[in-house]
Amino acid sequence: MGGLEFSSALTYDRPMKRDPSPAFSPPPPSRPPWLAALFVLAASSLAFCVAAIPPWQSPDEPTHFEYARLLARDGWRSPLRPDPALEEAIIASLSRNDFWRLVKVSPPERPPRTFLAAPFLCQAPTQIGKNPPGYYLLAAQVLRFCPRQSLVAQLYCLRLLSALLSLLTVGAVFLCAREAFGGGFFPALAAAAFAAGLPQFAVIGGSVSPDPLSNLLGALFILLTLLERRGPRRRFSGAFLVLLAGLFVSYKFLILLGAHFLLRLADLVRPPPGHGRRAA
């Protein structure tokens, strides 16, 4: 008995070692599923707009489509001008898809041959010469993969292109917000979710329009500007190159061009943190 008591005392007097990794510790919060869920929801919203909006009903879709179709057919080297035969075919498709009733105008007694002679379309009869050709050159490449499809089928191909560009924009907004919030995951996730949840973002993202490409380039410009201001100064600015590409898509980038030069001027007066440091 004495031996048992002595052994027991030794057992209880010895300090017990703790397992540095307890078996029942709660797992760390998993972040990739949250981001994946955001992209699934954003893709679902964009897909719904692509399918639910009737053909030709998004803002200026007939004229945006005409511009891309002419570039796909004739190339960018040829001088572009509205084609009455193409416009007549698009107007016939408008009539088959109940366009006039949906835009709440009286249908023409005789089908017009041109957008300029068509009700409602005559308010903005063409995008040629009005918008830069950047987006339409990209859209023309998509149309060259489906040259024998119907006009409506080609329209939906360009809508899918817009949806893809908008989905990439959600990712760019997430990266922008993460950089702006010092690497915080959930504030960046909330910012990207807010952008993806805007109704106008989803509607235009499911339409034939240069705006989805403009949105993506604008988000990339902001992201690169944030990264460049945090890191060492470089001779060539990626943000400036994206800005030049944006000017080839939309004249609205002239506003960002002014902001870019103001930031550069401010850096000359007071360089941001990190500039001028040498790598170890």
Side-chain angles (χ1 to χ4, degrees):
M1 292 296 293
L4 291 175
E5 290 176 0
F6 179 74
S7 175
S8 177
L10 287 177
T11 303
Y12 284 103
D13 290 343
R14 184 179 301 168
M16 298 179 63
K17 295 182 179 180
R18 295 186 177 181
D19 187 359
S21 56
F24 300 99
S25 60
S30 183
R31 294 178 177 180
W34 286 97
L35 192 58
L38 171 62
F39 276 100
V40 169
L41 291 175
S44 301
S45 174
L46 291 165
F48 173 79
C49 290
V50 167
I53 298 175
W56 313 109
Q57 284 301 311
S58 291
D60 299 321
E61 265 195 329
T63 52
H64 290 312
F65 179 84
E66 178 201 26
Y67 198 165
R69 179 70 184 266
L70 288 174
L71 282 172
R73 188 189 68 186
D74 302 333
W76 62 274
R77 296 181 180 180
S78 304
L80 292 182
R81 56 180 60 90
D83 181 3
L86 176 58
E87 292 187 356
E88 186 176 14
I90 294 175
I91 290 172
S93 179
L94 300 182
S95 300
R96 289 193 298 270
N97 288 278
D98 213 9
F99 176 83
W100 314 108
R101 182 184 66 83
L102 293 173
V103 297
K104 301 186 185 323
V105 298
S106 300
E109 296 180 359
R110 296 181 180 179
R113 295 195 58 192
T114 64
F115 291 162
L116 190 59
F120 189 79
L121 296 178
C122 62
Q123 301 174 16
T126 186
Q127 302 294 329
I128 300 173
K130 180 181 177 182
N131 288 331
Y135 160 75
Y136 303 98
L137 287 170
L138 176 61
Q141 297 305 315
V142 174
L143 291 180
R144 284 175 180 159
F145 285 101
C146 50
R148 298 183 180 180
Q149 301 297 322
S150 67
L151 294 180
V152 171
Q154 292 182 355
L155 177 80
Y156 279 106
C157 288
L158 295 188
R159 285 187 174 186
L160 289 174
L161 171 65
S162 294
L164 175 61
L165 294 172
S166 298
L167 198 60
L168 293 175
T169 302
V170 173
V173 170
F174 172 81
L175 295 176
C176 285
R178 193 163 192 179
E179 182 67 22
F181 290 119
F185 177 83
F186 286 105
L189 186 72
F194 177 80
L198 292 173
Q200 187 69 4
F201 178 83
V203 169
I204 296 301
S207 308
V208 179
S209 170
D211 288 345
L213 181 56
S214 297
N215 293 337
L216 176 59
L217 292 175
L220 290 176
F221 167 75
I222 295 173
L223 174 62
L224 291 175
T225 298
L226 291 172
L227 292 174
E228 289 174 2
R229 289 178 62 78
R230 181 168 61 90
R233 190 185 300 275
R234 296 178 176 85
R235 178 175 298 180
F236 298 103
S237 169
F240 184 69
L241 295 179
V242 171
L243 188 55
L244 293 180
L247 288 172
F248 198 56
V249 174
S250 173
Y251 295 124
K252 298 174 184 176
F253 276 82
L254 288 171
I255 301 173
L256 293 180
L257 181 63
H260 178 78
F261 281 115
L262 286 176
L263 286 173
R264 288 291 176 178
L265 183 61
D267 291 346
L268 293 176
V269 177
R270 184 180 180 182
H275 278 191
R277 297 179 182 175
R278 295 182 180 179

